[in-house]
Amino acid sequence: MSSKLSILRVGFFLDGYTLKKVNEYYLKYHRYHARLDFKALKGWVRDYSMKLLGREGCPVEVDAHYYHPYVRHIDRVEPSFGDGQDRLEKQLALAGFEVHYNLATDIDRSGPNMQLIEDAYLCAYYHKIDVLVLLSTQGHFSTLPERLKREGVPMLLLGWNFEYLRGDTPIYWKTDPCLREQSGYYVAMEEVAEKYPPTRSAERNLFMLPYNPQPTDSNIWRTYLQKVMASLDEPRFKEKPRFGKNGYKKSPALARLG
């Protein structure tokens, strides 16, 4: 079988520490005010990998992994409804991501989940993937590209560079230069994001859309109650009803007889 028709196996490894910062930026400080859509992002990675490696039209398998920067909350007796960690896990599961939580030994350390390096290397070592896509900006992973190269697996780095004001404090978020230099391929995702604003009419979105967008000052339930109250104030009959001697309302036929 031709190599162009063989399955392209893509390993997509997402650094949750970086994604948390990226989502915070786009949700609070960017004009989009939206979070990244995991399913759409995975689809973009699939299509871009085919194009990058010259494998358009071939079947693609994307093995997607999300590395959470925090430890899984397993000591709660009754998890609170709508817990953010649970919602995130459900969104990732629906998009086809396997979630990896940080180790309990690193619970006090703020930073990326370093299990990603060994897991990614093992996928390459056992020839489970043809290319690895890493979404991260962290220099902690700068040793990974060289290790993958020894196994004949190229790495595509999805990095982010942006700046914004948090109050009066300027914030600069940059992709680590060493990680970028070591990677075989690099994509500036802040430029890609500008091509896919969150609109309902777009063929492709990278960001989540609100389910039922409403003006900030609207209240559907209040409007409904106002209509109900207004209907109660309206006269129930346009003309005075006609009642018989026994107090019952006459039928239209009897009413004509007087």
Side-chain angles (χ1 to χ4, degrees):
M1 181 180 292
S2 171
S3 60
K4 288 192 175 183
L5 297 179
S6 61
I7 296 177
L8 176 62
R9 300 168 302 170
V10 179
F12 183 22
F13 287 71
L14 203 161
D15 167 27
Y17 181 78
T18 292
L19 184 78
K20 182 176 183 294
K21 300 297 183 180
V22 169
N23 269 337
E24 179 183 2
Y25 165 65
Y26 280 99
L27 183 64
K28 296 182 179 180
Y29 304 101
H30 193 273
R31 69 181 187 279
Y32 287 174
H33 296 295
R35 293 184 176 90
L36 283 169
D37 186 316
F38 294 114
K39 187 175 181 179
L41 182 62
K42 182 180 175 183
W44 183 89
V45 166
R46 178 198 62 223
D47 296 344
Y48 191 86
S49 299
M50 281 195 299
K51 182 179 179 181
L52 179 68
L53 301 177
R55 303 280 293 274
E56 290 93 342
C58 75
V60 181
E61 291 181 355
V62 180
D63 186 17
H65 300 265
Y66 177 90
Y67 284 81
H68 209 298
Y70 303 122
V71 177
R72 182 73 173 98
H73 296 315
I74 57 176
D75 55 343
R76 295 173 301 176
V77 178
E78 295 182 358
S80 59
F81 177 77
D83 177 77
Q85 198 174 73
D86 291 333
R87 289 199 306 270
L88 175 63
E89 187 172 342
K90 290 177 181 177
Q91 291 174 4
L92 289 164
L94 289 173
F97 282 80
E98 183 177 350
V99 181
H100 306 263
Y101 285 92
N102 216 338
L103 298 175
T105 54
D106 296 330
I107 192 171
D108 296 325
R109 180 182 59 81
S110 176
N113 187 335
M114 298 306 294
Q115 297 177 81
L116 184 153
I117 292 180
E118 290 304 318
D119 291 350
Y121 174 72
L122 288 175
C123 285
Y125 181 80
Y126 288 106
H127 307 290
K128 294 182 177 180
I129 56 176
D130 300 311
V131 60
L132 186 134
V133 180
L134 172 65
L135 189 155
S136 181
T137 60
Q138 301 300 295
H140 301 70
F141 304 118
S142 59
T143 60
L144 181 59
E146 182 62 31
R147 297 181 66 182
L148 295 175
K149 189 183 298 184
R150 295 184 196 140
E151 305 303 328
V153 176
M155 191 182 101
L156 167 62
L157 177 64
L158 308 183
W160 301 82
N161 296 288
F162 50 82
E163 57 186 66
Y164 59 93
L165 284 176
R166 182 185 293 167
D168 296 329
T169 305
I171 304 296
Y172 302 94
W173 192 265
K174 305 291 183 182
T175 301
D176 181 79
C178 184
L179 175 62
R180 178 173 179 173
E181 182 180 347
Q182 293 294 325
S183 301
Y185 304 95
Y186 177 78
V187 176
M189 289 302 293
E190 71 277 3
E191 297 179 5
V192 174
E194 292 299 319
K195 300 178 182 178
Y196 301 101
T199 56
R200 295 185 180 276
S201 59
E203 294 183 2
R204 160 169 277 172
N205 282 303
L206 285 184
F207 294 86
M208 298 179 66
L209 298 173
Y211 292 108
N212 188 21
Q214 296 289 338
T216 55
D217 58 346
S218 68
N219 190 315
I220 298 177
W221 179 243
R222 182 183 303 169
T223 303
Y224 171 74
L225 289 178
Q226 288 175 347
K227 290 182 178 180
V228 172
M229 297 303 296
S231 66
L232 294 177
D233 294 336
E234 295 177 356
R236 297 179 62 86
F237 302 99
K238 293 184 179 180
E239 60 180 3
K240 186 176 180 180
R242 302 174 183 177
F243 293 91
K245 295 181 180 180
N246 56 4
Y248 294 103
K249 182 181 178 181
K250 293 182 179 181
S251 68
L254 292 177
R256 286 195 296 270
L257 296 176

